[in-house]
């Protein structure tokens, strides 16, 4: 289906400006400050309804890590008019599905449902934005659910523990060093008071973004949104969003974690890197392409040098996403081949990077990656839910609809020189953490 | 003078219980919650007057690093009845001197002056606890003074920058990872509002400890303290003291800083370590002795193994202080000899530590160190200002007068087994950061 569409749309693959215009996106703001984005897609009579709060784990008070995610769970408990669990049950009864997600920068709630049930979704979502009721038993039960979630996803997974420790070493001051799910000891101290503080501070229409995508028109959405969300009072005490920022990072850091449960040892390196900012996305675009060039697949620089030329690694990757409110990271991974030590793998990585800095970007490879990016944009537009997430997420990090639409064109405009300049700037070990996850036991 | 006293008191050197009783210390609490400690020493007609607030850099709101220290500076500006600078000028005019200090856990103000001026000191100190007045020009001028102080003490000193980066890597969650003076970019954002918030939150009699030491009696101090400090209102909104604590540290960390200005490269390692807690000081006592045994001088383990047996190092040291509200660090330094690399120096350190773990504590060396400790306690009692600082600091970290007085006896009761148990527990690389400060330029 996706492949067919790409073929069908082949003629537009080389016209990024036309592509952007293809997103039928309308945005406006309600009187109480709630932003609204409408993405029209009339191919099927369904709609995705999302409410995004500009509040994530990095907005938590110190010591209360995990409260954003905890609240996300508790939002499925009752309100004055809905019993616990009734929200999701109602969505399911009407043939839809719903879920929620918490990141460092936002918390989002969504339902995918028949377009004619949109009014009901808005009524229920507006209700829980203001009228959450938390019974003592729900508080305790759900906290245990989250601790169990942490046990399964983190405590029992050395790779997850390693990433958590590494991220804490990456950020010297910014709360991005704190895990989204929270430190276990802090989760255990969370209670009704902290949850309600977070809820009352951040859950308000003027801190929220409504994204509706699918078989809807902007006028319909506006009318319904004004009825349900427009009636809610703004939180006039809301402070401008601001987190402690990173000081200059001046010292290369390294980290070794050894755990008997590790199956495949690997080397991972992350460099502090800039994020996409409104009107200033060029550097992030260059880093996006740099990640593809270095570690985006079988023809990438790291794959060629470490996997094919020298059989040092069985897997290499580089990844970067500029979707972040504050400074993010540029990441690389090398999984050494049998008989190759982590030390040797890391040395091979450094050698490969040094060679790349001398050799520069292969022009044909860059063109291939840009072509992939154009194709990816087309595929993505076929997935209305993904598109809705893209716009919602972008707005929580201070980007505009125009920034999102400009992005594909900016990606296409990046030159090899831009990429090398970004590489020289960002691939600075003083701002990097290099981690080894190893299978041996720790020794004194 | 100190040596004479030690000889004079030689007979009591082996009687720790008697030593403790020798401190003539009285403590009580005013009705508004202000704690008072009086240390009598009638040898000279002078008094040290100190007010300690249970508020330091680790109590700052996120993003406002440096505000505790900034406020400390601004406390020398005027009140309703004192002009800027008049406080210190008055102390000097009466033949005294005054100063202040900010740590992670407390902020303290003191004057040393003729005992008959104590009433005046209390009047002025009580005045600025409540009635600080901050002119806009003072705010800006003093912030520039602090930025210049940071430039001189930190930015221009690679060793200080290195310690700052290393400390940030040591603490994954606790604000001890943030420098007391503040991150430069955050200092620059501090203004009247943040300073006054900190002042109004933490500067109150129920968050303060008065220590008076010298030619005074408890009754005199009580009468004066009730008159000046007893009249001040408590801050009834004061929350129990609590900072984000460390999660389990699971991954050994390393850090390399290279700077052209470095004269003497060195290896430094710190392990997260417990602090002294009220009624539970034994482990901290064992660590205190462990630091002396490992790196307390020319006969210590590291000196013998690294400086004398093998000429690997020109300097070694280990240090630990349990004077901390939350988890502190156990630290070691090795400065390699000419021609020895940091890598070699670190390997030699690890070898020496492994040998020590097998060989254990030399009984004669332990006795020698305990004897030194007893002598040190005696010397210290000769310095009333130091004694006052000891009690004041201890009370800000939750210790009692009794804990302080029990400490010398606890030190004497530590066994070789206690020390080795503490070493096995604390010298765990998973909770350590090993740093190299090197003179070479950073390379890609």
């Amino acid at each position: 289906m996706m492949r067919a569409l790409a073929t069908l749309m082949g003629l537009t693959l080389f016209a990024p400006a036309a592509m952007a215009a293809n997103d039928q996106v309308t945005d406006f703001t309600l009187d109480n400050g709630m932003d609204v984005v409408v993405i029209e897609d009339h191919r099927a009579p369904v709609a995705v309804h999302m409410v995004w709060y500009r509040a994530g784990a990095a907005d938590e008070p110190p010591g209360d890590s995990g409260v954003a995610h905890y609240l996300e769970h508790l939002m499925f408990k009752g309100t004055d008019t809905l019993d616990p669990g009734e929200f999701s049950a109602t969505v399911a009864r009407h043939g839809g599905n719903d879920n929620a997600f918490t990141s460092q920068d936002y918390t989002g709630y969504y339902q995918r449902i028949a377009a004619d049930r949109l009014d009901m979704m808005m009524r229920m979502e507006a209700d829980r934005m203001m009228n959450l009721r938390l019974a003592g038993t729900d508080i305790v039960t759900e906290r245990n659910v989250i601790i169990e979630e942490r046990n399964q996803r983190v405590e029992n997974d050395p790779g997850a523990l390693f990433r958590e420790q590494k991220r804490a070493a990456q950020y010297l001051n910014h709360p991005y060093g704190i895990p989204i799910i929270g430190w276990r000891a802090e989760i255990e101290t969370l209670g009704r008071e902290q949850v309600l503080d977070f809820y009352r501070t951040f859950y308000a229409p003027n801190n929220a973004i409504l994204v509706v995508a699918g078989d809807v028109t902007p006028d319909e959405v506006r009318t319904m949104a004004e009825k349900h969300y427009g009636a809610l009072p703004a939180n006039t005490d809301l402070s401008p969003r601001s987190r402690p920022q990173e000081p200059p990072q001046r010292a290369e850091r390294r980290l070794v974690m050894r755990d008997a449960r590790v199956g495949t040892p690997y080397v991972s390196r992350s460099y502090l890197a800039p994020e996409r900012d409104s009107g200033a996305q060029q550097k992030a675009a260059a880093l996006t392409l740099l990640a593809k060039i270095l570690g985006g697949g079988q023809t990438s620089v790291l794959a060629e040098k470490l996997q094919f030329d020298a059989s040092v690694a069985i897997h290499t990757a580089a990844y970067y996403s500029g979707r972040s409110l504050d400074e993010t990271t540029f990441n690389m991974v090398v999984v050494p081949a049998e008989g190759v030590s982590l030390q040797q793998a890391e040395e091979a990585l450094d050698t490969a990077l040094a060679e790349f800095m001398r050799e520069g970007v292969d022009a044909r490879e860059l063109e291939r990656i840009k072509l992939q990016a154009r194709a990816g944009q087309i595929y993505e537009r076929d997935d209305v839910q993904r598109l809705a997430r893209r716009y919602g997420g972008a707005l929580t990090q201070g980007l505009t609809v125009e920034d999102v639409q400009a992005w594909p064109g900016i990606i296409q405009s990046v030159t090899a020189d831009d990429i090398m300049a970004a590489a020289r700037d960002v691939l600075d070990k003083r701002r990097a953490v290099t981690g080894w996850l190893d299978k041996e036991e720790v020794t004194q």
Side-chain angles (χ1 to χ4, degrees), chain A:
Chain A
M1 160 68 176
M2 279 197 184
R3 192 170 304 179
L5 182 81
T7 310
L8 187 71
M9 299 182 84
L11 286 178
T12 64
L13 276 176
F14 299 88
M19 279 166 50
N22 269 0
D23 290 351
Q24 288 190 48
V25 180
T26 310
D27 65 307
F28 52 89
T29 303
L30 303 184
D31 288 345
N32 61 8
M34 187 167 180
D35 289 319
V36 184
V37 178
V38 183
I39 304 166
E40 289 183 74
D41 181 334
H42 300 284
R43 291 177 299 168
V46 294
V48 173
H49 171 251
M50 292 181 157
V51 168
W52 297 70
Y53 295 97
R54 292 184 181 88
D59 301 297
E60 294 164 341
D64 289 354
S65 65
V67 73
H69 172 248
Y70 188 17
L71 172 57
E72 179 224 296
H73 276 234
L74 291 168
M75 284 288 281
F76 292 87
K77 303 302 173 189
T79 66
D80 294 344
T81 55
L82 278 175
D83 287 335
E86 191 179 343
F87 191 109
S88 296
T90 306
V91 174
R93 202 166 59 244
H94 289 271
N97 60 62
D98 73 327
N99 215 327
F101 39 85
T102 306
S103 85
Q104 291 285 2
D105 294 329
Y106 53 74
T107 313
Y109 299 84
Y110 72 88
Q111 305 86 39
R112 185 180 166 89
I113 200 161
D116 62 2
R117 304 298 202 280
L118 190 57
D119 184 83
M120 180 173 62
M121 294 301 107
M122 288 199 193
R123 177 170 50 72
M124 293 201 303
E125 197 64 81
D127 179 32
R128 70 175 170 175
M129 192 186 294
M130 287 289 140
N131 304 318
L132 189 64
R133 290 293 167 265
L134 296 178
T137 51
D138 289 339
I139 292 268
V140 174
T141 306
E142 207 59 35
R143 194 174 58 208
N144 290 338
V145 167
I146 287 169
I147 290 170
E148 190 45 42
E149 184 182 340
R150 188 181 153 92
N151 281 342
Q152 287 184 16
R153 289 201 193 167
V154 185
E155 309 284 351
N156 290 331
D157 176 355
L161 286 171
F162 173 68
R163 286 188 294 276
E164 195 172 83
Q165 298 274 315
K166 191 158 162 291
R167 205 173 157 85
Q170 178 72 67
Y171 288 96
L172 305 181
N173 195 48
H174 194 286
Y176 283 168
I178 300 169
I180 294 168
I181 198 167
W183 299 116
R184 187 186 168 121
E186 295 186 0
I187 298 172
E188 287 168 348
T189 69
L190 295 177
R192 174 198 296 270
E193 192 187 339
Q194 291 97 322
V195 171
L196 289 180
D197 273 354
F198 196 86
Y199 176 68
R200 288 183 190 128
T201 303
F202 294 117
Y203 281 49
N206 53 326
N207 199 40
I209 298 151
L210 169 66
V211 181
V212 181
D215 191 15
V216 294
T217 67
D219 283 348
E220 285 167 9
V221 171
R222 184 193 288 268
T223 303
M224 274 185 270
E226 278 173 351
K227 180 169 103 185
H228 295 294
Y229 295 111
L232 305 178
N235 173 4
T236 52
D237 292 333
L238 197 67
S239 302
R241 209 167 179 193
S242 130
R243 293 89 164 258
Q245 300 296 303
E246 281 299 289
Q249 296 200 348
R250 303 171 188 270
E252 175 187 350
R253 277 143 291 152
R254 306 182 53 75
L255 174 142
V256 181
M257 198 176 104
R258 297 181 177 88
D259 191 303
R261 298 168 296 180
V262 171
T264 310
Y266 61 83
V267 176
S268 137
R269 180 178 295 157
S270 52
Y271 300 83
L272 201 68
E275 75 285 1
R276 286 166 62 182
D277 287 324
S278 185
Q281 303 186 88
Q282 291 80 357
K283 196 162 179 182
L287 291 171
T288 301
L289 293 178
L290 176 64
K292 297 283 184 201
I293 287 168
L294 285 177
Q298 296 304 304
T299 61
S300 67
V301 168
L302 296 181
E304 292 221 333
K305 291 182 189 290
L306 302 183
Q307 294 173 243
F308 303 118
D309 292 355
S311 295
V312 171
I314 55 169
H315 176 69
T316 57
Y319 47 100
Y320 163 81
S321 165
R323 287 187 218 116
S324 179
L325 181 59
D326 296 313
E327 276 184 298
T328 179
T329 54
F330 187 98
N331 314 280
M332 298 174 196
V333 166
V334 179
V335 182
E338 185 75 27
V340 175
S341 71
L342 292 173
Q343 178 72 44
Q344 289 165 325
E346 183 181 338
E347 283 165 9
L349 170 65
D350 280 326
T351 303
L353 288 174
E355 285 172 7
F356 169 72
M357 296 308 290
R358 284 195 304 274
E359 294 163 358
V361 172
D362 180 282
R364 276 185 30 216
E365 184 70 2
L366 178 57
E367 274 318 301
R368 202 185 59 73
I369 285 167
K370 285 188 180 178
L371 179 63
Q372 273 184 344
R374 293 195 289 273
Q377 288 290 132
I378 303 290
Y379 299 152
E380 189 166 88
R381 290 226 313 288
D382 195 37
D383 183 342
V384 72
Q385 186 154 334
R386 204 158 140 194
L387 214 51
R389 276 191 86 132
R390 166 142 306 190
Y391 280 96
L395 266 67
T396 65
Q397 72 168 99
L399 300 176
T400 63
V401 168
E402 292 69 34
D403 290 320
V404 176
Q405 295 186 337
W407 179 249
I410 293 171
I411 287 281
Q412 294 301 319
S413 74
V414 170
T415 66
D417 284 350
D418 295 339
I419 293 170
M420 294 312 293
R424 279 190 299 273
D425 185 31
V426 170
L427 302 185
D428 179 337
K429 280 199 184 165
R430 290 173 298 180
R431 293 193 292 270
V433 180
T434 305
W436 291 4
L437 179 61
D438 206 350
K439 66 171 76 168
E440 294 155 65
E441 281 297 290
V442 70
T443 53
Q444 165 46 45

